[in-house]
Amino acid sequence: MIEIKSLSKRFGNFTAVSDLNINIGAGEFYGFLGPNGAGKTTTIKMMTGLFSPTSGSIKICGYDISRNPLEAKSTVGYIPDQPFLYEKLTGREFLFFSAGLYKVDHDLTTRRIEEMLYIFEIGAWIDQRTENYSQGMRQRIAIAAALLHNPKVLIIDEPMVGLDPRSAHIIKNIFKTRSEEGVTVFMSTHSLPVAEELCNRIGIVKDGRLIFDGPTSDILNAEKGKDGKFESVFLELTK
Amino acid sequence: MNLFYHIGYFKLRSLLKISFDWKFSIILKNLASLVIFGGFAIGAYYATRLGTDYLLDTAKLGSFLLHRFLSMLLFVYFVSINVGNIIVSYATFYRSPEMQYYLTKPVSHTQLFLLKFIDNFFYSSSAFFLIAFAVLLGYGSHFGMGWIFYFETLFFMLIPFMLISGCLAVIIVLFLVRYAARIGIKKLILLLTILYLTFLTGYFSVTSPLKLVARILQHYPNLDQYFGYLDPPVTKYLPNYWIAESLYWTMRGEVSYALSYKLLLIGATILIFGLMIYTGRKLFYESWLSSLEFGRNELKNQKRSLFLSFERKPVFNIQLSVMLKKEYYQFIREPSQWVHFGIISLLVILFLTSISHINLKQNMPFLQTVSYMVVLMFNAFLIISIALRFVFPSLSIEGKNFWSVFSSPLKRSKIFWLKYLIWFIPIIILSEMLVIFSHRSLIQYPNILLSASLLMASVAFVGVGMNLGMGSYFVNYRENNPIRAASSQSATLIFFACIVYLTILVSTTFIPFNGFFGYILKNLSFKNEMLYIAVGIFTLFSFTIGSIFLMIGIRSMKRDY
């Protein structure tokens, strides 16, 4: 579903991502880990068409993001690290707006929004302008917006930032369910327990290069040889 | 005061770093700024120098009348700075995330207020200052003044004059925001607009330039004497009068008279500045807290347009439909957008009403051409100003929310064209309305109507194209405040570029229009083709320029977000 080949991104003399190669199949939950400034967000921005690669290619559901951007983007639901929403729109209006961008039928959108209100417990404040929302409320709206068009691939950047335990619980359940339904999830996170809990495969990136890529079980086995903590393995790899 | 200097030092460092970044786009912007700002300053210098030479040496207008005209121009200048500062200070004091950050730090509110005032004053008045200094050089060079005159005028007259205007603007904004929650923002803005219009109309009806000229010309040829008894008493309390009087007496070598007006101006500046600090100390924090309530109050009274409701089924392409609805709500729910739009609409209505009464038919072909070109330029200037205020920031105001559109299956060029059409359609309609209203006395000449219509359509095309294209090239997603985006250095640069474009319009069409009016008024020989060719060349030039800017805009949209 996601095929990243020899992907590089340079900003002037600085190389943010270097020769990245990743293949992710349908229904896989891929955790993309790395220290700050490792190139996670840059990679995600290239996958969602916000940045253009300096070299290499990204294929999503068989569509090259540079050559067939519209087809590739149609299959993706993107959740950014900072859920900036149009402040003058209400949550409901933002959901209609997002669905419209993906050409979702109007009646279907209305029904799906009702479902989202229930799943994300956002009914109480859905008709308020998003400028009055807390970080958690914004995050829930951004996630609901990303799911409205039933994407085959979910690309998520730091989903748990600023969420209270209840919101985090709701969101983790949604991602798990979607993955079980066959949706491919590509998630960048700093939270090692979240990665450990949700992902069945993990990639660790450092200085723009992929230094580990394998099933989560490999890391869990490696833990046993150390002090039993995922954190220690991560720190060792990214030293 | 240490924290005041500490914050000021880092703000200055950050400004210098941004201004002197060695990125290609920044270097290009700085070079273009240098060329255009420099060109504009040189143009203003020569225009003032030649104008003063003409009025005093050729037309023998007399220095009293010259300084009364100067006083009126300074009044307009005062009002422009005041309005600019009112608009920008609301954004800098109440809408800036920087202020939220500082308010959480142990810095006194008065120091923050003063810092932001300085920031605001230089941000919104720097272009005015450049023009004023160039005009001052042009004026002084006619009289052969030395550097002490420029130094004194600049630091003891021009800057205090601008400070009075800026301080008054901030005092108005403080009261406006503080009491908006109690009285209602819409009512207060309406009241302020009415007061402003009354003040403007009152000033020009009291000073009445036409009556003044007629009364002074009765003394022809002895026009170089002092006619101070003709001045309406109320105008003597205005700072523009003090500057005009001071300059007048300086030119006549009466230094003591000139000095008294300078002292009056400096005294008034200190008084108003002190009053502003006092008002800021009393009202700034309270008004800042009140401003937080604006959005919430609007929410309670929120009315949804049924026609443009997101819940209504779209009648055409769903992507375009939701984009249009988003644009509408973003505009109508942002006070800085609709308030400014309301004020401009009011001014446009006033302008349309007054130009429809202008009789453009004169007896002298040259005078006819000059008055015709002045009206045409006013129309064009209005279009350019609207484009700058609303079109230039239209991409920047998307801010960090644009991820949702850029990551969706909607072509970036489509987003650009949608923005273009949203503004081009109303602006071209307005430009054609201006042609119809301003040509009522020339309605029997279809060729001139057609020419004006084509010229104004060209101005609309270039105005929107240049502002959207360059708004895309210089896009700043961190500056999502439309007012600050429209008064940024890049926006000022584009504004001056538009002025250069209007100068090209005048130089291309002045001679053919003059020939045409010579033909219809004095039956002088003229071929209509001359007018058509000039208009055709200008239209073609505009189409090329506008298209180039649009292409730059589309290319810029495809850059990394």
Side-chain angles (χ1 to χ4, degrees), chain A residues 2 10 16 27 33-34 45-46 48 69 79 83 94 104 142 146 157 177 184 198-199:
Chain A
I2 300 175
R10 277 190 295 277
L33 276 69
K45 286 191 169 178
M46 286 190 280
T48 51
I79 300 151
F94 184 77
V104 182
D157 197 359
T177 318
T184 305
L198 296 176
C199 307

Side-chain angles (χ1 to χ4, degrees), chain A residues 9 52 73 84 86 88, chain B residues 319 333 398 403 406 560:
Chain A
K9 178 72 183 175
S52 56
K73 286 174 182 179
F84 290 104
Y86 284 102
K88 299 296 166 194
Chain B
Q319 283 181 320
R333 289 176 184 170
E398 293 288 340
W403 66 268
F406 277 170
D560 286 348

Side-chain angles (χ1 to χ4, degrees), chain B residues 128-158:
Chain B
F128 284 117
F129 181 77
L130 176 86
I131 297 167
F133 189 58
V135 168
L136 177 70
L137 284 174
Y139 166 87
S141 68
H142 172 86
F143 298 99
M145 304 306 287
W147 67 270
I148 295 178
F149 165 79
Y150 298 112
F151 179 80
E152 274 184 11
T153 314
L154 192 65
F155 288 100
F156 299 119
M157 287 166 72
L158 204 57

